[in-house]
């Protein structure tokens, strides 16, 4: 799907042969399952259908919900309205998912960028007609709603209505909500798009090559220290030359969030995220405190050990994720990666492997690295009437195999939750990382159990510890950085130097004295997409990792029935609160000891590595 190679409508080829390496044929996704092309009649018809149905829905029900709730057959009447609304949400989600996935395939392609922007604008305009629905539902008398949802058929939507009610204290007048909604296209969404297109267009000069961001970041895991250093310098130099743009994006979005938070009445800079995640601020604060208190026992301790392996008192920042010296690092082909992950899933549950195998067999994965392609990896659930898609930038590193396991975990979760429908399938971020991190752990344990050679086991354990530190310590450091930035932004604009100083202070605290932080690392905050797309999302990774560490401990000591309870958790989607879903496993995230259990697993792995030195 390279720009200017394939005429519209764009279709994904079954696989791309990775040139110059041993990866084998890498699959590209088939988006025809959503629509046959950007200029297809099916897409145009659904877009018009969505516009017309949004207008018709508003005309039929705006201003009438209170009257309907008092009618003789109020439960059935409201149920029918919500069913119609849910079908419309599925259609809207299908359209936007397709546009987003097409765009992620090459964010530098003007045709795709226009298609994505036009779709976003048209759907924003159409859905402004729907804003009244949630607002009017939340104005209904709570006692009356409770009485209606106690009986069929409205009882089916009880979880959604109860969840919707949590937004009630922060909702504004209808006209203000409409203004916020319509201005989002030229506000936050526009700055998000600027960030995406800027990152995708960046080129980094490494040893005479002009590389996109993913191949450059990949070189930070190269065996040659000079290659790692050159890549780190190239990243920093290019980030610095674009620092003005990233600073403007950060200042604008932080102010935009402050305005929205102030109008809605959120007290803390992260309260909107906590509400969206359906998690208490106190629970997140307990997590953050536990992780920061554990920095010396986790990251500081591990990086000191790694520096010893390299024969140095300190590691340069570009050696943080370097492969261990004197340990062979081979390229892992796509077929081997596929078999490894599916094999690990099958050992846990044949059903889990069966669901995951569909992603390969039915071309739901886009694996190659391409110019302009969105960096990183994600699993997009699309909508319940379709299926998820997974985007990777697969380059054959061991971490790429773990990324595959991670994203397929998301995909399995999304498939299992789809039966809840468009309103209750989405999972709050507190549990959204559960299946992904659990899938990683299954894959890691399977590989470790089959590895007997000491040096290879050491390398595998070290890689797992680094992944866990990146998932827990690094993400809490990110969260701390965001808090400092958003709090400081309330006092006025931040200069590039101030942002860089905050980054260095937070990174120094989290990485510890064994990592030598020097120029140009101060600019590395610029490329983290979560800061732009999903403020304060990052703690969900640490939440998920600690949760899964505890969950995996239950699994290792579980009697019969764990698999069934685990599938019940995933299948619930967003229909139950996280406390209720964790209760069958004997886990309580409100207990401070819960986080210590999760962190202790990382400590045990570091201890195992230290024991190998004796």
């Amino acid at each position: 799907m390279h720009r200017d190679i394939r005429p519209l409508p764009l279709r994904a080829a079954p696989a791309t042969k990775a040139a110059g390496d041993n990866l084998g044929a890498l699959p590209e996704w088939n988006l025809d399952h959503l629509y046959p092309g950007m200029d297809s009649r099916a897409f145009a018809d659904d877009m018009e259908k969505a516009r017309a149905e949004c207008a018709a829905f508003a005309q039929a029900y705006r201003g009438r919900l209170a009257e309907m709730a008092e009618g003789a057959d109020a439960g059935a009447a409201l149920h029918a309205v919500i069913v119609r609304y849910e079908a419309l949400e599925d259609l809207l989600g299908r359209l936007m998912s397709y546009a987003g996935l097409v765009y992620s395939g090459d964010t530098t392609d003007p045709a795709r960028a226009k298609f994505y922007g036009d779709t976003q604008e048209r759907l924003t305009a159409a859905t402004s007609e729907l804003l009244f629905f949630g607002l009017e539902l939340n104005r209904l008398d709570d006692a009356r709603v409770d009485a209606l949802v106690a009986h069929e058929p409205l009882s089916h939507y009880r979880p959604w209505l109860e969840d919707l009610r949590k937004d009630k204290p922060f909702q504004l007048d209808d006209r203000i909500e409409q203004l916020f909604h319509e201005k989002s296209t030229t506000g936050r969404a526009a700055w998000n798009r600027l960030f995406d297109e800027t990152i995708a267009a960046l080129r980094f000069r490494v040893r005479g090559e002009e590389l996109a961001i993913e191949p450059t970041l990949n070189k930070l895991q190269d065996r040659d220290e000079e290659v790692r250093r050159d890549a780190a310098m190239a990243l920093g130099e290019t980030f610095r030359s674009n620092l003005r743009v990233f600073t403007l994006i950060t200042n604008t979005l932080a102010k935009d969030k402050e305005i929205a938070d102030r109008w809605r009445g959120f007290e803390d800079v992260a309260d909107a995220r906590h509400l969206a995640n359906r998690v208490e601020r106190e629970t997140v604060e307990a997590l953050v405190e536990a992780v920061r208190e554990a920095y010396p026992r986790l990251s500081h301790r591990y990086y000191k050990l790694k520096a010893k392996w390299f024969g140095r008192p300190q590691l340069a920042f570009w050696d943080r994720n370097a492969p261990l010296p004197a340990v062979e690092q081979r390229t892992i082909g796509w077929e081997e990666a596929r078999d490894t992950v599916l094999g690990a899933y099958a050992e846990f549950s044949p059903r889990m492997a069966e669901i995951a195998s569909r992603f390969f067999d039915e071309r739901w994965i886009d694996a190659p690295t391409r110019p302009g392609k969105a960096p990183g990896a994600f699993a997009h659930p699309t909508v319940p009437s379709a299926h998820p898609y997974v985007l990777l930038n697969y380059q054959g590193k061991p971490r790429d195999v773990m990324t595959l396991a991670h994203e397929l975990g998301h995909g399995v979760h999304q498939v299992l939750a789809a039966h809840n429908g468009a309103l209750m399938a989405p999972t709050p971020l507190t549990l959204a990382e559960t299946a992904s991190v659990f899938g990683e752990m299954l894959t890691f344990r399977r590989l470790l159990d089959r590895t007997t050679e000491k040096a290879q086991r050491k390398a595998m354990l070290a890689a797992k510890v680094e992944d866990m530190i990146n998932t827990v310590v690094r993400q809490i450091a990110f969260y701390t950085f965001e808090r400092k930035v958003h709090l400081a932004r309330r006092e006025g604009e931040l200069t590039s130097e101030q942002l860089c100083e905050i980054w260095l202070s937070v990174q120094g605290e989290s990485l510890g004295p064994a990592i030598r932080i020097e120029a140009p690392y101060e600019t590395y905050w610029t490329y983290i997409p979560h800061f732009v797309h999903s403020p304060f999302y990052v703690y969900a990774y640490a939440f998920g990792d600690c949760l899964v560490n505890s969950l995996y401990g239950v699994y290792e000591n579980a009697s019969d029935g764990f698999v069934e309870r685990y599938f019940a958790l995933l299948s619930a989607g967003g229909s139950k609160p996280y406390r209720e879903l964790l209760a069958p496993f004997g886990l309580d995230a409100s207990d401070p000891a819960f986080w210590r259990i999760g962190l202790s697993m990382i400590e045990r792995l570091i201890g195992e590595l230290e024991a190998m030195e004796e």
Side-chain angles (χ1 to χ4, degrees):
M1 300 197 320
H2 292 279
R3 182 174 44 167
D4 299 331
I5 291 178
R6 205 183 306 270
L8 300 181
L10 295 166
R11 297 170 182 252
T16 295
K17 179 66 177 178
D21 55 34
N22 300 314
L23 299 184
L26 298 178
E28 295 184 11
W29 54 28
N30 178 15
L31 299 181
D32 287 5
H33 301 162
L34 294 172
Y35 294 101
M38 292 191 288
D39 59 354
S40 66
R41 171 54 58 186
F43 185 87
D45 287 349
D46 271 1
M47 181 62 79
E48 174 56 26
K49 178 182 176 182
R51 184 204 62 76
E53 178 60 11
C54 285
F57 186 89
Q59 185 174 7
Y61 305 116
R62 183 186 283 129
R64 292 191 53 219
L65 296 186
E67 177 187 348
M68 293 175 66
E70 299 300 328
D73 200 13
L78 287 176
H79 176 264
V81 177
I82 297 175
V83 167
R84 182 175 175 181
Y85 177 78
E86 184 170 42
L88 186 49
E89 283 288 310
D90 193 280
L91 174 62
L92 294 163
R94 176 182 287 263
L95 289 161
M96 198 65 241
S97 294
Y98 178 72
L101 292 171
V102 166
Y103 176 62
S104 67
D106 185 353
T107 61
T108 62
D109 179 5
R112 295 179 192 229
K114 174 177 168 52
F115 175 69
Y116 176 72
D118 287 349
T119 301
Q120 194 172 52
E121 284 188 14
R122 294 178 67 184
L123 291 181
T124 298
T127 54
S128 66
E129 297 279 12
L130 303 180
L131 289 175
F132 80 91
F133 190 56
L135 298 172
E136 287 194 26
L137 283 175
N138 270 345
R139 292 191 191 111
L140 300 178
D141 179 72
D142 288 347
R144 178 58 175 163
V145 174
D146 288 341
L148 293 174
V149 298
H151 306 284
E152 293 184 355
L154 193 59
S155 58
H156 172 74
Y157 288 108
R158 180 174 191 156
W160 180 72
L161 288 166
E162 290 179 345
D163 201 52
L164 183 68
R165 202 180 299 176
K166 294 174 183 176
D167 296 324
K168 188 173 182 177
F170 307 100
Q171 290 179 337
L172 304 173
D173 294 339
D174 291 22
R175 294 286 288 173
I176 299 175
E177 290 286 359
Q178 184 175 359
L179 178 63
F180 269 48
H181 181 71
E182 292 188 13
K183 286 285 289 180
S184 66
T185 303
T186 55
R188 171 167 293 278
W191 291 98
N192 277 226
R193 181 174 162 189
L194 174 62
F195 173 85
D196 289 342
E197 295 186 10
T198 300
I199 285 288
L202 294 182
R203 291 299 177 265
F204 306 85
R205 190 165 186 81
V206 185
R207 300 193 164 197
E209 283 188 277
E210 293 286 335
L211 301 175
I213 190 168
E214 279 295 331
T216 310
L217 289 169
N218 189 54
K219 288 186 181 296
L220 296 179
Q221 300 176 45
D222 196 274
R223 178 155 299 283
D224 187 333
E225 180 181 359
E226 292 304 313
V227 172
R228 296 195 299 270
R229 180 191 177 282
D230 291 349
M233 293 298 151
L235 286 163
E237 290 167 9
T238 300
F239 292 153
R240 178 156 287 283
S241 66
N242 290 272
L243 202 52
R244 184 177 63 85
V245 174
F246 291 121
T247 298
L248 178 60
I249 292 171
T250 300
N251 272 299
T252 303
L253 288 176
K255 184 61 179 178
D256 180 83
K257 186 179 186 307
E258 185 274 327
I259 293 170
D261 286 353
R262 176 161 38 86
W263 274 79
R264 294 190 182 282
F266 290 113
E267 295 179 3
D268 185 73
V269 290
D271 277 352
R273 173 60 62 194
H274 302 332
L275 176 66
N277 287 352
R278 301 309 191 230
V279 65
E280 303 79 10
R281 186 200 301 173
E282 295 74 19
T283 299
V284 177
E285 289 175 346
L287 163 66
V288 173
E289 182 179 350
V291 174
R292 293 184 68 181
E293 189 271 333
Y295 283 172
R297 305 193 307 274
L298 300 178
S299 49
H300 298 189
R301 177 183 171 195
Y302 173 73
Y303 291 131
K304 181 180 178 181
L305 180 63
K306 186 169 184 177
K308 178 183 175 183
W309 293 335
F310 278 75
R312 303 167 189 172
Q314 282 186 311
L315 290 173
F317 74 84
W318 56 79
D319 289 334
R320 188 171 58 84
N321 289 321
L324 299 193
V327 178
E328 178 188 358
Q329 186 181 43
R330 64 187 182 87
T331 298
I332 301 170
W334 178 252
E335 287 302 316
E336 182 182 350
R338 175 188 187 277
D339 293 344
T340 297
V341 175
L342 291 182
Y345 279 22
E347 285 184 0
F348 175 74
S349 164
R351 181 186 176 197
M352 190 171 176
E354 180 182 344
I355 295 171
S357 66
R358 295 185 64 192
F359 285 77
F360 299 93
D361 299 340
E362 300 180 38
R363 293 169 55 197
W364 299 355
I365 301 176
D366 193 74
T369 296
R370 295 188 300 269
K373 182 177 175 179
F378 63 72
H380 191 307
T382 71
V383 288
S385 63
H387 58 75
Y389 283 94
V390 165
L391 179 142
L392 304 169
N393 279 274
Y394 188 84
Q395 298 178 76
K397 294 285 194 297
R399 278 191 175 86
D400 292 334
V401 180
M402 291 301 161
T403 299
L404 175 62
H406 181 102
E407 300 305 337
L408 283 177
H410 278 307
V412 169
H413 194 171
Q414 291 158 357
V415 169
L416 289 170
H419 72 95
N420 293 290
L423 299 181
M424 293 184 288
T427 304
L429 295 185
T430 43
L431 292 177
E433 296 297 330
T434 303
S436 54
V437 179
F438 196 83
E440 280 190 74
M441 184 64 77
L442 291 173
T443 304
F444 166 71
R445 289 295 180 184
R446 183 173 195 262
L447 288 171
L448 188 66
D449 290 346
R450 284 160 173 71
T451 303
T452 56
E453 201 273 318
K454 182 178 178 180
Q456 289 295 332
R457 283 184 64 85
K458 177 180 175 180
M460 287 185 63
L461 280 168
K464 183 58 180 173
V465 168
E466 289 180 14
D467 284 344
M468 295 172 106
I469 287 174
N470 286 336
T471 304
V472 178
V473 171
R474 185 166 170 81
Q475 301 305 321
I476 292 302
F478 284 176
Y479 177 74
T480 304
F481 171 77
E482 285 190 280
R483 288 193 62 83
K484 288 178 179 290
V485 167
H486 282 262
L487 287 169
R489 182 64 181 90
R490 289 184 171 185
E491 305 303 318
E493 280 207 14
L494 298 170
T495 65
S496 299
E497 288 69 26
Q498 286 176 300
L499 289 165
C500 292
E501 287 170 6
I502 295 172
W503 173 257
L504 288 179
S505 70
V506 168
Q507 291 298 302
E509 177 194 25
S510 64
L511 296 175
I515 298 292
R516 187 176 74 252
I517 298 176
E518 58 189 273
Y521 189 68
E522 72 277 0
T523 63
Y524 275 50
W525 59 270
T526 56
Y527 81 95
I528 310 299
H530 303 78
F531 298 161
V532 174
H533 295 301
S534 307
F536 303 107
Y537 176 102
V538 288
Y539 74 73
Y541 290 114
F543 194 111
D545 196 274
C546 289
L547 188 158
V548 166
N549 289 345
S550 300
L551 195 64
Y552 199 85
V554 175
Y555 167 56
E556 288 182 311
N557 300 296
S559 56
D560 293 341
F562 180 90
V563 173
E564 289 74 15
R565 282 179 285 155
Y566 180 71
F567 274 105
L569 182 154
L570 301 187
S571 298
S575 67
K576 295 180 180 179
Y578 76 95
R579 291 178 185 273
E580 184 178 337
L581 290 171
L582 294 180
F585 303 95
L587 300 175
D588 180 7
S590 65
D591 183 353
F594 172 82
W595 304 115
R596 291 195 289 271
I597 293 170
L599 296 172
S600 68
M601 178 178 285
I602 309 176
E603 291 186 67
R604 287 199 301 272
L605 292 178
I606 297 173
E608 191 172 338
L609 283 167
E610 290 172 334
M612 289 182 173
E613 300 298 298
E614 299 173 358

